[in-house]
Amino acid sequence: MLNILISNIGFGEAAPDALKSLQKNAQLTENKEKKRFSEEDFIEKIKDSHILIAGTEKITKSVLEQAPHLKLIARVGVGVDNIDLEEAKKNAVSITYTPDAPSESVPEFTLALILNLIKGISISDHKLHEKIWYRPMGRMLSSFKFGIVGAGKIGSKVIQMIKAISPLSDIFFYDPYVTHISNATKCSLERLFRESDVVSLHLPLNASTKSLVDLNLLKTMKQGSYLVNTSRGGIIDENALYQILQTKHLAGAALDVFEIEPYNGNLTELENCLLTSHLGSMTHEVRKLMENQVSEDVLNFIQGRPLRRPLNGFNFVGLK
Ligand code: NAD
């Protein structure tokens, strides 16, 4: 019998049939405690597993070294920065993921964060819950220049959404691999940070983007501008952001992702930093789609059929 370890929290809640079809084909070890797996948890549980269904928890070299039977990692989501890809490749572990599933939901969420930030919604909400009638002065989208870093599936949709609700806004984008996007002007990263009123990040985390947004770059941003990150923690140097928000050089920032999650760092002290707990793809619709897609590809793998959504360069021979 094949063993499938499920570290992804809540897998099967949105698509119970997806879980049932896996149960018919393999022995499942579920994450019943709904606890984010640490390296120790993985090492304790993964040694007999052939397939791992994972969220964003870290799948390190040590974890993979303790998984001699592992042949497939199925990522419920998009980013694969949590997996030691070099070690996975060395061990010929295939990877499948769900790259298209969140590409509507994360742009919607990004827009919600931008509107919340510039209208002071959360700040007013917190005050009113303390019975304080506080009326922060907001801004309007139409007066803004937007800077979108990373114009892939999510970034390009954010551009379309901004243009749809605020046709007068100017939009810049920076993406080394995309030359043209309608309704937006390509420019350098430096110009984008220097001239935008709102910078929104939509690029992957990897060795070249780690701490890309550092103190030097943050200092070049306009006085009173905003920074939004729904991509990956680690792209922004969080200590540098803390410093710049404290000085009020930036009017505010909104972060959905953090270098270490769950996050409990010092940005929680700042009123002008809106924080959410990696919610970009947490909609019922997206979860259901991702769980179905993962289950479909896991069954493809078990039954010797080609994977539908393999990660480029990680499509090794299946189990049969
Ligand atoms: P994508 O691969 O479609 O797009 C990423 C884009 O970034 C590509 O066009 C790529 O060329 C560009 N890029 C790569 N390096 C860059 C660099 N140095 N500077 C600027 N651009 C660069 O990916 P996507 O589906 O649009 O996802 C974007 C990000 O959103 C990823 O980090 C992903 O992990 C994250 N994400 C977050 C959530 C969430 O819940 N918050 C959900 C899904 C995805």
PDB file of all heavy atoms in Angstrom, residues 7-42:
ATOM      1  N   SER A   7       0.683  17.167   5.082  1.00  0.00           N
ATOM      2  CA  SER A   7       1.059  18.183   6.079  1.00  0.00           C
ATOM      3  C   SER A   7       0.192  19.429   5.918  1.00  0.00           C
ATOM      4  O   SER A   7       0.018  20.189   6.874  1.00  0.00           O
ATOM      5  CB  SER A   7       2.543  18.547   5.967  1.00  0.00           C
ATOM      6  OG  SER A   7       2.855  19.001   4.664  1.00  0.00           O
ATOM      7  N   ASN A   8      -0.358  19.639   4.739  1.00  0.00           N
ATOM      8  CA  ASN A   8      -1.187  20.821   4.475  1.00  0.00           C
ATOM      9  C   ASN A   8      -2.377  20.860   5.442  1.00  0.00           C
ATOM     10  O   ASN A   8      -3.156  19.905   5.519  1.00  0.00           O
ATOM     11  CB  ASN A   8      -1.674  20.774   3.020  1.00  0.00           C
ATOM     12  CG  ASN A   8      -2.529  21.970   2.651  1.00  0.00           C
ATOM     13  OD1 ASN A   8      -3.623  21.822   2.128  1.00  0.00           O
ATOM     14  ND2 ASN A   8      -2.058  23.154   2.920  1.00  0.00           N
ATOM     15  N   ILE A   9      -2.502  21.983   6.152  1.00  0.00           N
ATOM     16  CA  ILE A   9      -3.568  22.098   7.159  1.00  0.00           C
ATOM     17  C   ILE A   9      -4.926  22.225   6.481  1.00  0.00           C
ATOM     18  O   ILE A   9      -5.107  23.021   5.568  1.00  0.00           O
ATOM     19  CB  ILE A   9      -3.300  23.316   8.080  1.00  0.00           C
ATOM     20  CG1 ILE A   9      -2.024  23.086   8.891  1.00  0.00           C
ATOM     21  CG2 ILE A   9      -4.484  23.578   9.023  1.00  0.00           C
ATOM     22  CD1 ILE A   9      -1.534  24.289   9.671  1.00  0.00           C
ATOM     23  N   GLY A  10      -5.876  21.409   6.911  1.00  0.00           N
ATOM     24  CA  GLY A  10      -7.257  21.515   6.419  1.00  0.00           C
ATOM     25  C   GLY A  10      -7.495  20.875   5.074  1.00  0.00           C
ATOM     26  O   GLY A  10      -8.581  21.043   4.497  1.00  0.00           O
ATOM     27  N   PHE A  11      -6.527  20.105   4.562  1.00  0.00           N
ATOM     28  CA  PHE A  11      -6.722  19.498   3.242  1.00  0.00           C
ATOM     29  C   PHE A  11      -7.937  18.570   3.262  1.00  0.00           C
ATOM     30  O   PHE A  11      -8.053  17.691   4.121  1.00  0.00           O
ATOM     31  CB  PHE A  11      -5.474  18.707   2.810  1.00  0.00           C
ATOM     32  CG  PHE A  11      -5.586  18.171   1.406  1.00  0.00           C
ATOM     33  CD1 PHE A  11      -5.218  18.966   0.323  1.00  0.00           C
ATOM     34  CD2 PHE A  11      -6.100  16.910   1.165  1.00  0.00           C
ATOM     35  CE1 PHE A  11      -5.358  18.494  -0.974  1.00  0.00           C
ATOM     36  CE2 PHE A  11      -6.247  16.436  -0.133  1.00  0.00           C
ATOM     37  CZ  PHE A  11      -5.865  17.227  -1.202  1.00  0.00           C
ATOM     38  N   GLY A  12      -8.844  18.775   2.314  1.00  0.00           N
ATOM     39  CA  GLY A  12     -10.041  17.940   2.229  1.00  0.00           C
ATOM     40  C   GLY A  12     -11.279  18.592   2.813  1.00  0.00           C
ATOM     41  O   GLY A  12     -12.389  18.103   2.620  1.00  0.00           O
ATOM     42  N   GLU A  13     -11.097  19.718   3.508  1.00  0.00           N
ATOM     43  CA  GLU A  13     -12.282  20.375   4.093  1.00  0.00           C
ATOM     44  C   GLU A  13     -13.119  21.049   3.011  1.00  0.00           C
ATOM     45  O   GLU A  13     -14.344  21.045   3.066  1.00  0.00           O
ATOM     46  CB  GLU A  13     -11.864  21.417   5.140  1.00  0.00           C
ATOM     47  CG  GLU A  13     -11.426  20.751   6.423  1.00  0.00           C
ATOM     48  CD  GLU A  13     -10.884  21.730   7.453  1.00  0.00           C
ATOM     49  OE1 GLU A  13     -10.976  22.957   7.246  1.00  0.00           O
ATOM     50  OE2 GLU A  13     -10.352  21.248   8.466  1.00  0.00           O
ATOM     51  N   ALA A  14     -12.452  21.625   2.002  1.00  0.00           N
ATOM     52  CA  ALA A  14     -13.195  22.308   0.940  1.00  0.00           C
ATOM     53  C   ALA A  14     -13.660  21.313  -0.123  1.00  0.00           C
ATOM     54  O   ALA A  14     -14.690  21.515  -0.763  1.00  0.00           O
ATOM     55  CB  ALA A  14     -12.334  23.398   0.308  1.00  0.00           C
ATOM     56  N   ALA A  15     -12.891  20.250  -0.323  1.00  0.00           N
ATOM     57  CA  ALA A  15     -13.255  19.244  -1.348  1.00  0.00           C
ATOM     58  C   ALA A  15     -13.177  17.851  -0.725  1.00  0.00           C
ATOM     59  O   ALA A  15     -12.230  17.097  -0.983  1.00  0.00           O
ATOM     60  CB  ALA A  15     -12.319  19.358  -2.548  1.00  0.00           C
ATOM     61  N   PRO A  16     -14.177  17.466   0.101  1.00  0.00           N
ATOM     62  CA  PRO A  16     -14.116  16.170   0.784  1.00  0.00           C
ATOM     63  C   PRO A  16     -14.025  14.991  -0.189  1.00  0.00           C
ATOM     64  O   PRO A  16     -13.382  13.979   0.122  1.00  0.00           O
ATOM     65  CB  PRO A  16     -15.437  16.111   1.568  1.00  0.00           C
ATOM     66  CG  PRO A  16     -16.008  17.479   1.539  1.00  0.00           C
ATOM     67  CD  PRO A  16     -15.368  18.254   0.447  1.00  0.00           C
ATOM     68  N   ASP A  17     -14.604  15.121  -1.374  1.00  0.00           N
ATOM     69  CA  ASP A  17     -14.540  14.013  -2.343  1.00  0.00           C
ATOM     70  C   ASP A  17     -13.104  13.771  -2.819  1.00  0.00           C
ATOM     71  O   ASP A  17     -12.733  12.644  -3.140  1.00  0.00           O
ATOM     72  CB  ASP A  17     -15.442  14.291  -3.552  1.00  0.00           C
ATOM     73  CG  ASP A  17     -16.913  14.175  -3.162  1.00  0.00           C
ATOM     74  OD1 ASP A  17     -17.184  13.632  -2.065  1.00  0.00           O
ATOM     75  OD2 ASP A  17     -17.765  14.648  -3.932  1.00  0.00           O
ATOM     76  N   ALA A  18     -12.319  14.851  -2.877  1.00  0.00           N
ATOM     77  CA  ALA A  18     -10.924  14.718  -3.299  1.00  0.00           C
ATOM     78  C   ALA A  18     -10.183  13.841  -2.286  1.00  0.00           C
ATOM     79  O   ALA A  18      -9.413  12.940  -2.646  1.00  0.00           O
ATOM     80  CB  ALA A  18     -10.271  16.091  -3.382  1.00  0.00           C
ATOM     81  N   LEU A  19     -10.463  14.084  -1.001  1.00  0.00           N
ATOM     82  CA  LEU A  19      -9.826  13.302   0.059  1.00  0.00           C
ATOM     83  C   LEU A  19     -10.283  11.842  -0.010  1.00  0.00           C
ATOM     84  O   LEU A  19      -9.466  10.919   0.090  1.00  0.00           O
ATOM     85  CB  LEU A  19     -10.186  13.918   1.411  1.00  0.00           C
ATOM     86  CG  LEU A  19      -9.409  13.429   2.606  1.00  0.00           C
ATOM     87  CD1 LEU A  19      -7.939  13.800   2.483  1.00  0.00           C
ATOM     88  CD2 LEU A  19      -9.967  14.054   3.888  1.00  0.00           C
ATOM     89  N   LYS A  20     -11.585  11.650  -0.235  1.00  0.00           N
ATOM     90  CA  LYS A  20     -12.120  10.272  -0.301  1.00  0.00           C
ATOM     91  C   LYS A  20     -11.484   9.487  -1.441  1.00  0.00           C
ATOM     92  O   LYS A  20     -11.154   8.314  -1.284  1.00  0.00           O
ATOM     93  CB  LYS A  20     -13.647  10.315  -0.494  1.00  0.00           C
ATOM     94  CG  LYS A  20     -14.388  10.532   0.803  1.00  0.00           C
ATOM     95  CD  LYS A  20     -15.889  10.356   0.609  1.00  0.00           C
ATOM     96  CE  LYS A  20     -16.636  11.171   1.645  1.00  0.00           C
ATOM     97  NZ  LYS A  20     -17.729  11.960   1.120  1.00  0.00           N
ATOM     98  N   SER A  21     -11.290  10.138  -2.587  1.00  0.00           N
ATOM     99  CA  SER A  21     -10.713   9.383  -3.714  1.00  0.00           C
ATOM    100  C   SER A  21      -9.261   9.004  -3.415  1.00  0.00           C
ATOM    101  O   SER A  21      -8.798   7.940  -3.849  1.00  0.00           O
ATOM    102  CB  SER A  21     -10.858  10.142  -5.033  1.00  0.00           C
ATOM    103  OG  SER A  21     -10.237  11.379  -4.933  1.00  0.00           O
ATOM    104  N   LEU A  22      -8.570   9.810  -2.639  1.00  0.00           N
ATOM    105  CA  LEU A  22      -7.197   9.431  -2.257  1.00  0.00           C
ATOM    106  C   LEU A  22      -7.234   8.266  -1.260  1.00  0.00           C
ATOM    107  O   LEU A  22      -6.423   7.338  -1.342  1.00  0.00           O
ATOM    108  CB  LEU A  22      -6.457  10.618  -1.643  1.00  0.00           C
ATOM    109  CG  LEU A  22      -6.173  11.799  -2.578  1.00  0.00           C
ATOM    110  CD1 LEU A  22      -5.463  12.923  -1.830  1.00  0.00           C
ATOM    111  CD2 LEU A  22      -5.311  11.352  -3.760  1.00  0.00           C
ATOM    112  N   GLN A  23      -8.225   8.333  -0.332  1.00  0.00           N
ATOM    113  CA  GLN A  23      -8.337   7.272   0.685  1.00  0.00           C
ATOM    114  C   GLN A  23      -8.538   5.895   0.050  1.00  0.00           C
ATOM    115  O   GLN A  23      -8.102   4.881   0.588  1.00  0.00           O
ATOM    116  CB  GLN A  23      -9.504   7.573   1.630  1.00  0.00           C
ATOM    117  CG  GLN A  23      -9.067   8.400   2.825  1.00  0.00           C
ATOM    118  CD  GLN A  23     -10.228   9.159   3.470  1.00  0.00           C
ATOM    119  OE1 GLN A  23     -11.311   9.255   2.897  1.00  0.00           O
ATOM    120  NE2 GLN A  23      -9.989   9.711   4.651  1.00  0.00           N
ATOM    121  N   LYS A  24      -9.190   5.871  -1.103  1.00  0.00           N
ATOM    122  CA  LYS A  24      -9.436   4.578  -1.769  1.00  0.00           C
ATOM    123  C   LYS A  24      -8.168   4.004  -2.376  1.00  0.00           C
ATOM    124  O   LYS A  24      -8.112   2.831  -2.725  1.00  0.00           O
ATOM    125  CB  LYS A  24     -10.453   4.780  -2.902  1.00  0.00           C
ATOM    126  CG  LYS A  24     -11.865   4.955  -2.389  1.00  0.00           C
ATOM    127  CD  LYS A  24     -12.831   4.946  -3.562  1.00  0.00           C
ATOM    128  CE  LYS A  24     -14.135   5.584  -3.132  1.00  0.00           C
ATOM    129  NZ  LYS A  24     -14.727   6.451  -4.122  1.00  0.00           N
ATOM    130  N   ASN A  25      -7.169   4.864  -2.583  1.00  0.00           N
ATOM    131  CA  ASN A  25      -5.977   4.430  -3.316  1.00  0.00           C
ATOM    132  C   ASN A  25      -4.706   4.362  -2.489  1.00  0.00           C
ATOM    133  O   ASN A  25      -3.674   3.938  -2.986  1.00  0.00           O
ATOM    134  CB  ASN A  25      -5.736   5.382  -4.491  1.00  0.00           C
ATOM    135  CG  ASN A  25      -6.721   5.163  -5.612  1.00  0.00           C
ATOM    136  OD1 ASN A  25      -6.513   4.308  -6.459  1.00  0.00           O
ATOM    137  ND2 ASN A  25      -7.828   5.905  -5.588  1.00  0.00           N
ATOM    138  N   ALA A  26      -4.765   4.844  -1.260  1.00  0.00           N
ATOM    139  CA  ALA A  26      -3.530   4.896  -0.465  1.00  0.00           C
ATOM    140  C   ALA A  26      -3.859   4.995   1.012  1.00  0.00           C
ATOM    141  O   ALA A  26      -4.994   5.271   1.408  1.00  0.00           O
ATOM    142  CB  ALA A  26      -2.696   6.099  -0.897  1.00  0.00           C
ATOM    143  N   GLN A  27      -2.835   4.747   1.816  1.00  0.00           N
ATOM    144  CA  GLN A  27      -2.933   4.922   3.264  1.00  0.00           C
ATOM    145  C   GLN A  27      -2.584   6.381   3.565  1.00  0.00           C
ATOM    146  O   GLN A  27      -1.478   6.828   3.250  1.00  0.00           O
ATOM    147  CB  GLN A  27      -1.886   3.983   3.882  1.00  0.00           C
ATOM    148  CG  GLN A  27      -1.777   3.993   5.374  1.00  0.00           C
ATOM    149  CD  GLN A  27      -2.940   3.238   6.003  1.00  0.00           C
ATOM    150  OE1 GLN A  27      -3.359   2.206   5.497  1.00  0.00           O
ATOM    151  NE2 GLN A  27      -3.449   3.792   7.078  1.00  0.00           N
ATOM    152  N   LEU A  28      -3.543   7.120   4.150  1.00  0.00           N
ATOM    153  CA  LEU A  28      -3.278   8.553   4.391  1.00  0.00           C
ATOM    154  C   LEU A  28      -2.898   8.822   5.839  1.00  0.00           C
ATOM    155  O   LEU A  28      -3.521   8.284   6.749  1.00  0.00           O
ATOM    156  CB  LEU A  28      -4.521   9.406   4.085  1.00  0.00           C
ATOM    157  CG  LEU A  28      -5.198   9.292   2.721  1.00  0.00           C
ATOM    158  CD1 LEU A  28      -6.192  10.442   2.541  1.00  0.00           C
ATOM    159  CD2 LEU A  28      -4.197   9.322   1.592  1.00  0.00           C
ATOM    160  N   THR A  29      -1.896   9.667   6.022  1.00  0.00           N
ATOM    161  CA  THR A  29      -1.638  10.213   7.360  1.00  0.00           C
ATOM    162  C   THR A  29      -1.995  11.681   7.288  1.00  0.00           C
ATOM    163  O   THR A  29      -1.317  12.463   6.615  1.00  0.00           O
ATOM    164  CB  THR A  29      -0.149  10.053   7.745  1.00  0.00           C
ATOM    165  OG1 THR A  29       0.182   8.671   7.652  1.00  0.00           O
ATOM    166  CG2 THR A  29       0.120  10.559   9.155  1.00  0.00           C
ATOM    167  N   GLU A  30      -3.098  12.056   7.960  1.00  0.00           N
ATOM    168  CA  GLU A  30      -3.582  13.434   7.853  1.00  0.00           C
ATOM    169  C   GLU A  30      -3.026  14.305   8.982  1.00  0.00           C
ATOM    170  O   GLU A  30      -2.593  13.791  10.015  1.00  0.00           O
ATOM    171  CB  GLU A  30      -5.112  13.441   7.907  1.00  0.00           C
ATOM    172  CG  GLU A  30      -5.737  12.806   6.681  1.00  0.00           C
ATOM    173  CD  GLU A  30      -7.246  12.756   6.815  1.00  0.00           C
ATOM    174  OE1 GLU A  30      -7.860  13.827   6.918  1.00  0.00           O
ATOM    175  OE2 GLU A  30      -7.803  11.639   6.832  1.00  0.00           O
ATOM    176  N   ASN A  31      -3.099  15.607   8.755  1.00  0.00           N
ATOM    177  CA  ASN A  31      -2.658  16.565   9.769  1.00  0.00           C
ATOM    178  C   ASN A  31      -3.865  16.900  10.650  1.00  0.00           C
ATOM    179  O   ASN A  31      -4.421  17.994  10.588  1.00  0.00           O
ATOM    180  CB  ASN A  31      -2.100  17.819   9.081  1.00  0.00           C
ATOM    181  CG  ASN A  31      -1.496  18.813  10.052  1.00  0.00           C
ATOM    182  OD1 ASN A  31      -1.667  18.691  11.266  1.00  0.00           O
ATOM    183  ND2 ASN A  31      -0.809  19.800   9.537  1.00  0.00           N
ATOM    184  N   LYS A  32      -4.236  15.916  11.504  1.00  0.00           N
ATOM    185  CA  LYS A  32      -5.485  16.036  12.275  1.00  0.00           C
ATOM    186  C   LYS A  32      -5.419  17.151  13.320  1.00  0.00           C
ATOM    187  O   LYS A  32      -6.422  17.763  13.646  1.00  0.00           O
ATOM    188  CB  LYS A  32      -5.811  14.706  12.964  1.00  0.00           C
ATOM    189  CG  LYS A  32      -6.205  13.608  11.965  1.00  0.00           C
ATOM    190  CD  LYS A  32      -7.630  13.148  12.189  1.00  0.00           C
ATOM    191  CE  LYS A  32      -8.315  12.538  11.025  1.00  0.00           C
ATOM    192  NZ  LYS A  32      -8.238  11.250  10.596  1.00  0.00           N
ATOM    193  N   GLU A  33      -4.188  17.400  13.832  1.00  0.00           N
ATOM    194  CA  GLU A  33      -4.060  18.455  14.873  1.00  0.00           C
ATOM    195  C   GLU A  33      -4.094  19.852  14.274  1.00  0.00           C
ATOM    196  O   GLU A  33      -4.076  20.841  14.997  1.00  0.00           O
ATOM    197  CB  GLU A  33      -2.744  18.312  15.650  1.00  0.00           C
ATOM    198  CG  GLU A  33      -2.561  17.023  16.384  1.00  0.00           C
ATOM    199  CD  GLU A  33      -1.641  16.084  15.622  1.00  0.00           C
ATOM    200  OE1 GLU A  33      -0.465  16.422  15.425  1.00  0.00           O
ATOM    201  OE2 GLU A  33      -2.121  15.007  15.208  1.00  0.00           O
ATOM    202  N   LYS A  34      -4.088  19.919  12.922  1.00  0.00           N
ATOM    203  CA  LYS A  34      -4.074  21.213  12.222  1.00  0.00           C
ATOM    204  C   LYS A  34      -2.925  22.085  12.703  1.00  0.00           C
ATOM    205  O   LYS A  34      -3.082  23.272  12.973  1.00  0.00           O
ATOM    206  CB  LYS A  34      -5.401  21.936  12.386  1.00  0.00           C
ATOM    207  CG  LYS A  34      -6.557  21.178  11.797  1.00  0.00           C
ATOM    208  CD  LYS A  34      -7.759  22.042  11.687  1.00  0.00           C
ATOM    209  CE  LYS A  34      -8.871  21.257  11.007  1.00  0.00           C
ATOM    210  NZ  LYS A  34     -10.046  22.034  10.764  1.00  0.00           N
ATOM    211  N   LYS A  35      -1.769  21.449  12.812  1.00  0.00           N
ATOM    212  CA  LYS A  35      -0.586  22.147  13.315  1.00  0.00           C
ATOM    213  C   LYS A  35       0.393  22.295  12.161  1.00  0.00           C
ATOM    214  O   LYS A  35       0.548  21.372  11.366  1.00  0.00           O
ATOM    215  CB  LYS A  35       0.006  21.278  14.436  1.00  0.00           C
ATOM    216  CG  LYS A  35       1.257  21.788  15.023  1.00  0.00           C
ATOM    217  CD  LYS A  35       1.822  20.821  16.066  1.00  0.00           C
ATOM    218  CE  LYS A  35       3.277  21.157  16.289  1.00  0.00           C
ATOM    219  NZ  LYS A  35       4.163  20.045  16.407  1.00  0.00           N
ATOM    220  N   ARG A  36       1.018  23.463  12.063  1.00  0.00           N
ATOM    221  CA  ARG A  36       2.016  23.669  11.016  1.00  0.00           C
ATOM    222  C   ARG A  36       3.218  22.773  11.298  1.00  0.00           C
ATOM    223  O   ARG A  36       3.809  22.853  12.380  1.00  0.00           O
ATOM    224  CB  ARG A  36       2.434  25.136  11.009  1.00  0.00           C
ATOM    225  CG  ARG A  36       3.297  25.528   9.846  1.00  0.00           C
ATOM    226  CD  ARG A  36       3.631  27.004   9.950  1.00  0.00           C
ATOM    227  NE  ARG A  36       4.564  27.389   8.931  1.00  0.00           N
ATOM    228  CZ  ARG A  36       4.220  27.736   7.694  1.00  0.00           C
ATOM    229  NH1 ARG A  36       2.954  27.733   7.335  1.00  0.00           N
ATOM    230  NH2 ARG A  36       5.136  28.077   6.808  1.00  0.00           N
ATOM    231  N   PHE A  37       3.584  21.888  10.378  1.00  0.00           N
ATOM    232  CA  PHE A  37       4.680  20.951  10.608  1.00  0.00           C
ATOM    233  C   PHE A  37       6.013  21.681  10.749  1.00  0.00           C
ATOM    234  O   PHE A  37       6.361  22.529   9.936  1.00  0.00           O
ATOM    235  CB  PHE A  37       4.810  19.986   9.419  1.00  0.00           C
ATOM    236  CG  PHE A  37       3.949  18.754   9.510  1.00  0.00           C
ATOM    237  CD1 PHE A  37       2.725  18.772  10.148  1.00  0.00           C
ATOM    238  CD2 PHE A  37       4.389  17.560   8.939  1.00  0.00           C
ATOM    239  CE1 PHE A  37       1.938  17.637  10.226  1.00  0.00           C
ATOM    240  CE2 PHE A  37       3.610  16.416   9.003  1.00  0.00           C
ATOM    241  CZ  PHE A  37       2.388  16.446   9.649  1.00  0.00           C
ATOM    242  N   SER A  38       6.779  21.303  11.777  1.00  0.00           N
ATOM    243  CA  SER A  38       8.161  21.768  11.905  1.00  0.00           C
ATOM    244  C   SER A  38       9.042  20.722  11.218  1.00  0.00           C
ATOM    245  O   SER A  38       8.557  19.654  10.817  1.00  0.00           O
ATOM    246  CB  SER A  38       8.537  21.857  13.386  1.00  0.00           C
ATOM    247  OG  SER A  38       8.482  20.545  13.928  1.00  0.00           O
ATOM    248  N   GLU A  39      10.324  21.005  11.139  1.00  0.00           N
ATOM    249  CA  GLU A  39      11.253  20.029  10.553  1.00  0.00           C
ATOM    250  C   GLU A  39      11.179  18.720  11.348  1.00  0.00           C
ATOM    251  O   GLU A  39      11.160  17.624  10.782  1.00  0.00           O
ATOM    252  CB  GLU A  39      12.660  20.622  10.584  1.00  0.00           C
ATOM    253  CG  GLU A  39      13.651  19.858   9.750  1.00  0.00           C
ATOM    254  CD  GLU A  39      14.965  20.622   9.602  1.00  0.00           C
ATOM    255  OE1 GLU A  39      15.671  20.816  10.612  1.00  0.00           O
ATOM    256  OE2 GLU A  39      15.301  20.998   8.464  1.00  0.00           O
ATOM    257  N   GLU A  40      11.092  18.836  12.678  1.00  0.00           N
ATOM    258  CA  GLU A  40      11.038  17.640  13.538  1.00  0.00           C
ATOM    259  C   GLU A  40       9.765  16.828  13.243  1.00  0.00           C
ATOM    260  O   GLU A  40       9.818  15.598  13.189  1.00  0.00           O
ATOM    261  CB  GLU A  40      11.057  18.014  15.030  1.00  0.00           C
ATOM    262  CG  GLU A  40      12.356  18.592  15.555  1.00  0.00           C
ATOM    263  CD  GLU A  40      12.683  19.972  14.997  1.00  0.00           C
ATOM    264  OE1 GLU A  40      11.752  20.783  14.814  1.00  0.00           O
ATOM    265  OE2 GLU A  40      13.869  20.232  14.724  1.00  0.00           O
ATOM    266  N   ASP A  41       8.647  17.507  13.066  1.00  0.00           N
ATOM    267  CA  ASP A  41       7.393  16.790  12.757  1.00  0.00           C
ATOM    268  C   ASP A  41       7.553  15.993  11.468  1.00  0.00           C
ATOM    269  O   ASP A  41       7.159  14.833  11.371  1.00  0.00           O
ATOM    270  CB  ASP A  41       6.216  17.770  12.581  1.00  0.00           C
ATOM    271  CG  ASP A  41       5.868  18.484  13.875  1.00  0.00           C
ATOM    272  OD1 ASP A  41       5.937  17.843  14.926  1.00  0.00           O
ATOM    273  OD2 ASP A  41       5.544  19.686  13.815  1.00  0.00           O
ATOM    274  N   PHE A  42       8.140  16.650  10.449  1.00  0.00           N
ATOM    275  CA  PHE A  42       8.332  15.953   9.174  1.00  0.00           C
ATOM    276  C   PHE A  42       9.224  14.724   9.360  1.00  0.00           C
ATOM    277  O   PHE A  42       8.911  13.635   8.888  1.00  0.00           O
ATOM    278  CB  PHE A  42       8.992  16.881   8.149  1.00  0.00           C
ATOM    279  CG  PHE A  42       8.016  17.663   7.312  1.00  0.00           C
ATOM    280  CD1 PHE A  42       8.056  19.038   7.283  1.00  0.00           C
ATOM    281  CD2 PHE A  42       7.068  17.012   6.525  1.00  0.00           C
ATOM    282  CE1 PHE A  42       7.161  19.760   6.498  1.00  0.00           C
ATOM    283  CE2 PHE A  42       6.173  17.729   5.737  1.00  0.00           C
ATOM    284  CZ  PHE A  42       6.223  19.104   5.723  1.00  0.00           C
TER     285      PHE A  42
END
